Every structure is written in C-alpha cells, then in structure tokens.
Amino acid sequence: MDRLGLICRNILEEPYITQRELAKRMELSLGTINGLIKECAEKGYIREDEDQRGKRLALTETGQAVLAPYKVDGALIIAAGFGSRFVPLTFETPKGLLEVFGERMIERQIRQLHEAGVYDITIAVGYLKEKFEYLIDKYDVKLLYNPEYSCKNTLATVYRARHLLKGRNMYILSSDNWLRDNMYHAYECGAWYSASFQKGDTKEWCFTFTKKGRITDVNVGGRDQWVMYGPVYLSREFSARFLPVLEAYYEAPGTEQFYWEQPFVDMLKGEAKRRLEAEGGTLLARAEEASGWKASQWDQIEMDVNRQPENQVYEFENLEELRLFDERYQNHSDNAAMDLVSRVFKVPESHITDIRCLKAGMTNKSFLFRVDGAHCICRIPGPGTELLINRREEKEVYDTVASLGITEEVLYMNPDTGYKIARYYENARNAAADNWKDMEICMGIVRKLHQSGLTVDHSFDIRERIDFYERLCLQHGGIPFEDYEKVRGWMNELMDRLDQMDRPQCLCHIDANVDNFLMFEDGSAKLLDWEYAGMCDPIMDISMSAIYSYYDAEQTEKLLEIYLKRKPSKEEYYSVFANAALGGFLWCLWAVYKAALGEEFGEYTIIMYRYAKGYYKKLKAL
C-alpha cells in the first residue's frame, strides 16, 4: 500500500478527518497531504460529500478496489505458554487471562480487533487450554491446540498455525500484551513489527532500519534503541517468502527453543541459508522451491518497523511490573497462594517480593519469594495429588522427625490442602548421584532416621500402592505394556518372598532421591519432601534412592554398603534388589496414570519398567 492507499484507508476509517489531522497521523507535511488528496480525487479514489455534519470525504468504488488487496483477513493470538515469571498467578490462570484494570488482556485485544473489523480470530493454546474455551462462545473465536507447548518455543506454535497464515493478511498477537489505544485496522500496508523506544541499556531485540522504516537487521541488546514490542502484521506476500523458511527451521535440529521471529532475523543476516545448508541442503532446497525465492535473496525480505508512542504497548515482565501499572495487584491478586503467604506472615501482598518460579516437580509446583527479608519457598500441590498423597500423614511425619533436625524448617503446613511454606536455604545445592561423598552424607541422614526409634501410625505398603495405581491406570485407559500380566506375576512373587522374610520395620522416607537432599558448604545436609514417608523395611529407602538415581546393579550394591557400613547379608542383598524392582514397577504405574491425565515424563516410564524386569531376572538367576 502506497501513500495514496494510506489516504484512502484513513478516509474510510474517519470520513471527517481534516487534512491537518491526516498530516499528523501520517507524519507528512500539510502541503504533501494536500497534494495526495488532490491526486486521489483525480484518480477517482475519493469524492467530496456533504451531510448534516458538514463536508466529508468518501471512498468511491475505485478507491475501495484499491484497498481490497490490503484487507486484513484475521488474527492469530499466541497463548500457549506457561508464563513462568508470573507465578504463582499463572499456576491457576494463563497470563493472557490476567486482568488489567478489570479487563482480561486477551479480551481487550479481541475487542480492539473487533472494533477494527477483524473477526476471524484464532487463539493458539497449550497450557491450561481449557481456560480459554469460554472465549469461543463470548467472541466466536477458534482455538488451535499446540501439543508441543511445554517443550518448544513459539516457533513451533506458529508452525502449527501456518495454514492460517498462508495466502492471507494476518496479525500475530501475544495474548499477554496490553495496548492503550487501538492500533489495529481493517486494511494494512506491507508487513510490519510493532516497536517501542527503550532508553538506556536493554536486552530486548533491537531494530536497525532505514529512514523509510524498512528493517535491515535485528540484534539482541543495545542502548537507546527501538525494540520488538507488541503485535505483528504479516502480509500474504511476506508469508509466502517467510513461512517456507520457518517450516524448514521447525524440521532442523536445535531450533526447539527458538522464537518464531528467529528465521526472519536469520534471513536478514544471511544466517538462514547457512543454517539450512548445514543440514545437508535438503531443507534449503525445499524452502527455496516452496517460496520461489533463492536463498541468496533472503536478506531482501521486506518488513517495516511500526514505531509506537511511549506508553502505548505494555508487556509485563513480572508481577512487580504489573503492580506498578495496576495498583489492585499490590494487595489483591485474587490468587490463593499469594493470599496464603499474606495471611501466614501477616503482611499485605505488596510485601511479597522477588517472586521466582522453581522447576515444577513430578507432584507439586513451587515458587520462591521474600517477605521483609525472609527468603522462603511455597509448595502448591499439583492437581489430583489429594487422591495420591495423604497430607495429614505427611504432617504427622514432619512433626515426628522435627527433633532430629534433618528436615527443612517448615513455617506453615496445611494438612487439608497440602500447601507448605518453608525456609529457603541460600547457597545450598542438591546432592549429586555421581558424587559418592555426597551419597555418604545422604546415607548418613537416612541411617540417622532409621536408627532414631521414631514411629508413626501409618505404613508405606508397596503391595497396597501397586494395587492402587494399577486400579487408577485401568480406570484411565489401561496399561500399555504388552507383557504386563507376566511382569505383574513376577512382582507378586517378589512381594510374597519379602513377606516371608518378615523384614524389620522403621520410619522411612521412601522418596530419598538426590533432588530431595540439600547439601551445605559445611558438609551438612537436609532431607526434604516427606510426602510418602511411613513405616517400612529400611532397605526400601536405599532401593528407591538407587532407582531415582538411575543406578545400575553395581552402583546399587555400593550404595547399600555405604548405608550399612559393611557387606550386606544375603537377605539384605535380596531385599535391596527386590524393592528396587517393586519400586520401578510402582513408579512406572504412577507415570502411566499421570500420562493418562496429560502429564508426560519422557523415558522415565520405560526406565522404571526395565528396573522391574531386570532386577526380577537378576534375583531369579540367583
């Protein structure tokens, strides 16, 4: 769209616009605007009308035909990600569904699109996808699920939506942007990327562009720069040349964590050609054929910078930034975890600062925070854990072992909900399974627990747990292993043999894996997360620790000797491998059940199943 087309678009959107207003909006002189309007009239694009409000300009059919190729066909809103910098709010609500001044960010953008006449809107979802379902009825949008949202970045999301972009003029939006004024239009000129000016040092992606606004380079970091910030518009001509390269990038190894903009940046730099050539040339040839454009010309891809005024586009990096923008979040985030921390420490939410997400565990989610100098960690039970874990029994264990000084300092624990707040230890690290000095310290803590004489009223019964998880699996789609019935019989043999041994019982941790040991610089350690703890054969802790560490038989035997401080007896030897087999079988069932609920743990399921089969065969051979 040239300047005459822009005159037509502005007149279509605002028939009563003055020439002075046009000059300001298009950043042109008043004389230039007068000339453009005269030229549009001479070409028959516009005519002058008069109504009750006075004189106005209107598009003719010829003018509307000029605009037709530039009509925006729709919008893709990217909303698949987790939003880790907004925990704990995003544990419950996707970031794009957070409210700013009482309006959800994604709804504000949908409304702005509608105001511009753009109604064909697709939302690419992933994390908490069900939360977006109501938008189908409220705004007649469509949802597109990206199954790779948890392991790949936005390049994969746009790849999944590429059919929506091909041959169409489309906006791409981030669901978590907040735009002060509506910057969308029914008609757009060539491809553009929204930009905001950042004063001082920045780590954002910074534009280099010509006087006319054509983007020539993009680099991460700079000072006093126009940076990528906000929505994007892809013309059908741009997408025809860009999407084949994006598709090739998706298939190329090592691009899993790329943003969707990376192929464009690499095209400008000449890196796209080199990257795809390095993959043997097949991907490069396919991209060239699909785009009808030689790779040597890719650096000529055309996209303009769309410079936005200050305070127009907002992309909140964390809760602290949102608090500064919308004061409601200072003390009323409407989040259960934030409300809990506020009540436990008797402070307003504004005192909860330095919030950071921890990597989600296999059962729970956690986040770090500070309250008036205290550095703590809050555990939030994962969905469905109330079925799997007895929180009252967990609290009983914590209360029982408190005198030993081997656990983290628990500041709050709710036996009904499973929420826990504990002290966070600076400069501590997890134990390393391949560091035998670490393992000696860990086994020393386990030994201290076993020899303490402390007891609780409940047991960890491996037979009962296997039966329980087996039922859950069968109720949720079955168990996928071809030889499961045979292996289940093997496990019954092992359990029967252990019952005959009548092994001694003591208070055990059950989940004594290296990730649950905190190691300190002075050589001491603490054992965390006692969710499965109960009375059991003490050798069970050694077996579980070994399979969690993916130890082989030789390493498992070495760990047992470290714990015992001597050579194991035949019975202890049998017990450690039988319990390792049963533990592998149990956690395999646990993972199968979790997968049926939508949580995947990669090869963990197979590794655990192999422990069950491998150690059964080992014991059988004896």
Side-chain angles (χ1 to χ4, degrees):
M1 185 189 300
D2 58 15
R3 291 192 298 183
L4 295 182
L6 288 173
I7 291 287
C8 292
R9 186 184 76 176
N10 280 295
I11 289 173
L12 180 66
E13 292 176 345
E14 179 48 68
Y16 298 97
I17 193 169
T18 67
Q19 293 184 13
R20 193 171 299 279
E21 290 169 340
L22 265 175
K24 182 179 180 181
R25 184 180 294 184
M26 294 179 63
E27 298 181 348
L28 296 172
S29 70
L30 187 58
T32 301
I33 291 296
N34 289 335
L36 291 172
I37 288 179
K38 182 179 179 181
E39 187 175 352
C40 282
E42 290 173 349
K43 289 180 178 291
Y45 296 166
I46 62 175
R47 67 174 185 271
E48 191 175 273
D49 286 341
E50 189 170 352
D51 58 18
Q52 294 177 344
R53 289 181 57 182
K55 292 183 178 181
R56 69 185 184 97
L57 296 173
L59 284 189
T60 65
E61 290 185 5
T62 303
Q64 291 174 350
V66 168
L67 285 181
Y70 305 103
K71 183 172 178 57
V72 177
D73 296 306
L76 169 68
I77 303 179
I78 298 176
F82 168 45
S84 61
R85 288 175 291 187
F86 263 79
V87 297
L89 275 60
T90 47
F91 285 149
E92 301 174 357
T93 305
K95 187 179 174 185
L97 293 181
L98 295 178
E99 291 185 359
V100 177
F101 300 125
E103 183 179 28
R104 287 178 157 173
M105 287 188 280
I106 195 171
E107 289 198 39
R108 180 180 180 85
Q109 293 196 84
I110 292 172
R111 178 175 57 78
Q112 289 174 330
L113 287 167
H114 283 185
E115 288 173 357
V118 179
Y119 294 96
D120 188 351
I121 300 170
T122 299
I123 305 173
V125 297
Y127 173 70
L128 293 181
K129 59 186 182 298
E130 294 81 6
K131 293 282 188 177
F132 294 93
E133 189 276 339
Y134 81 99
L135 295 170
I136 299 174
D137 299 312
K138 189 170 183 179
Y139 295 106
D140 195 28
V141 301
K142 295 179 281 292
L143 301 187
L144 173 70
Y145 176 61
N146 172 19
E148 298 178 302
Y149 76 90
S150 63
C151 58
K152 294 185 178 181
N153 212 325
T154 58
L155 188 148
T157 301
V158 174
Y159 174 83
R160 295 273 175 179
R162 66 196 187 282
H163 63 284
L164 300 172
L165 305 174
K166 289 181 178 179
R168 308 179 76 207
N169 296 324
M170 294 286 289
Y171 287 118
I172 296 183
L173 287 60
S174 294
S175 66
D176 56 358
N177 282 170
W178 188 89
L179 310 181
R180 185 176 299 280
D181 298 317
N182 193 342
M183 60 185 288
Y184 304 118
H185 301 278
Y187 299 87
E188 287 284 3
C189 49
W192 54 254
Y193 205 117
S194 173
S196 293
F197 188 76
Q198 300 233 341
K199 297 177 182 178
D201 294 330
T202 178
K203 295 181 180 178
E204 298 286 349
W205 291 29
C206 303
F207 288 118
T208 300
F209 49 90
T210 67
K211 289 183 179 180
K212 292 186 176 181
R214 180 62 43 79
I215 299 169
T216 57
D217 199 5
V218 180
N219 293 287
V220 178
R223 183 175 180 82
D224 297 334
Q225 296 284 330
W226 286 95
V227 304
M228 284 184 169
Y229 220 66
V232 188
Y233 173 71
L234 304 188
S235 65
R236 61 174 62 89
E237 294 80 11
F238 179 91
S239 292
R241 294 188 165 185
F242 170 70
L243 289 178
V245 181
L246 180 139
E247 291 171 350
Y249 262 56
Y250 176 84
E251 295 183 40
T255 62
E256 293 80 10
Q257 298 309 313
F258 279 14
Y259 294 102
W260 75 262
E261 298 92 339
Q262 190 67 56
F264 166 65
V265 173
D266 286 355
M267 290 172 78
L268 292 175
K269 293 178 177 293
E271 287 295 325
K273 179 176 184 292
R274 286 190 286 272
R275 176 181 291 277
L276 297 181
E277 277 180 335
E279 298 305 322
T282 302
L283 292 177
L284 177 65
R286 283 163 50 189
E288 287 183 323
E289 181 180 0
S291 65
W293 206 25
K294 287 294 184 182
S296 58
Q297 301 173 299
W298 285 355
D299 61 351
Q300 299 172 29
I301 190 165
E302 296 180 355
M303 176 178 275
D304 291 337
V305 62
N306 188 350
R307 286 166 283 184
Q308 294 299 304
E310 188 177 5
N311 301 323
Q312 159 64 4
V313 180
Y314 289 84
E315 183 178 326
F316 307 104
E317 293 295 324
N318 50 49
L319 181 56
E320 303 289 336
E321 286 191 8
L322 185 53
R323 282 173 172 170
L324 293 174
F325 192 73
D326 185 348
E327 293 183 357
R328 181 179 72 88
Y329 282 94
Q330 292 185 9
N331 293 311
H332 300 288
S333 63
D334 297 327
N335 176 262
M338 293 291 286
D339 180 64
L340 171 64
V341 173
S342 175
R343 287 187 285 107
V344 169
F345 288 91
K346 297 181 173 60
V347 296
E349 285 190 19
S350 58
H351 286 227
I352 308 170
T353 60
D354 195 19
I355 302 169
R356 287 185 292 131
C357 180
L358 287 181
K359 183 179 180 181
M362 298 178 89
T363 306
N364 307 303
K365 301 170 183 176
S366 301
F367 67 95
L368 300 178
F369 64 92
R370 290 187 187 274
V371 172
D372 297 338
H375 203 182
C376 305
I377 180 171
C378 179
R379 180 191 75 186
I380 302 173
T385 53
E386 69 280 355
L387 177 67
L388 311 179
I389 296 169
N390 188 315
R391 298 297 182 182
R392 291 192 173 277
E393 291 180 351
E394 182 190 13
K395 188 173 189 309
E396 179 190 358
V397 171
Y398 266 106
D399 292 343
T400 299
V401 302
S403 61
L404 297 179
I406 60 175
T407 75
E408 74 271 38
E409 180 184 355
V410 177
L411 306 175
Y412 169 89
M413 186 169 181
N414 189 318
D416 295 318
T417 65
Y419 276 80
K420 181 179 73 173
I421 299 175
R423 175 186 170 192
Y424 178 73
Y425 295 91
E426 310 279 357
N427 302 317
R429 62 175 176 84
N430 292 118
D434 59 354
N435 184 327
W436 291 107
K437 288 185 178 179
D438 277 7
M439 299 312 295
E440 286 179 10
I441 295 172
C442 295
M443 291 301 99
I445 289 181
V446 172
R447 194 184 308 113
K448 182 176 181 179
L449 170 67
H450 293 170
Q451 295 176 355
S452 67
L454 297 173
T455 62
V456 292
D457 292 333
H458 61 274
S459 299
F460 178 81
D461 184 338
I462 191 75
R463 188 187 294 272
E464 180 275 332
R465 288 288 87 185
I466 287 175
D467 289 346
F468 173 70
Y469 280 111
E470 184 181 63
R471 287 197 302 273
L472 288 178
C473 291
L474 294 175
Q475 292 167 6
H476 290 80
I479 300 167
F481 295 102
E482 291 288 332
D483 57 356
Y484 176 77
E485 291 301 326
K486 178 175 68 175
V487 177
R488 180 62 157 99
W490 292 352
M491 297 303 106
N492 290 339
E493 288 182 39
L494 295 180
M495 288 186 286
D496 291 343
R497 177 73 179 116
L498 289 173
D499 288 345
Q500 293 170 7
M501 288 182 177
D502 195 22
R503 291 278 303 156
Q505 305 279 298
C506 68
L507 181 54
C508 295
H509 184 275
I510 306 301
D511 197 17
N513 74 82
V514 289
D515 289 339
N516 283 335
F517 284 97
L518 277 188
M519 313 299 292
F520 300 95
E521 292 177 349
D522 63 0
S524 63
K526 291 187 180 294
L527 181 53
L528 317 177
D529 293 344
W530 296 66
E531 294 174 310
Y532 301 99
M535 305 301 289
C536 192
D537 176 357
I539 299 298
M540 179 67 80
D541 272 341
I542 317 307
S543 301
M544 292 294 195
S545 181
I547 63 173
Y548 290 140
S549 298
Y550 292 177
Y551 280 175
D552 60 23
E554 184 179 344
Q555 291 170 311
T556 300
E557 190 170 350
K558 181 175 181 177
L559 185 67
L560 180 60
E561 290 180 8
I562 290 173
Y563 166 77
L564 294 171
K565 293 185 174 181
R566 58 173 171 78
K567 290 288 185 180
S569 66
K570 288 184 178 180
E571 184 178 280
E572 290 165 336
Y573 183 87
Y574 187 95
S575 179
V576 77
F577 285 108
N579 281 315
L582 293 168
F585 192 73
L586 171 68
W587 300 125
C588 170
L589 291 174
W590 177 90
V592 168
Y593 168 64
K594 284 288 190 177
L597 300 181
E599 294 184 66
E600 275 289 349
F601 297 101
E603 61 181 353
Y604 178 83
T605 312
I606 293 176
I607 292 173
M608 291 297 113
Y609 197 60
R610 295 307 303 173
Y611 274 129
K613 297 171 75 171
Y615 285 155
Y616 169 81
K617 292 176 182 177
K618 178 181 179 66
L619 294 175
K620 197 70 174 175
L622 296 176

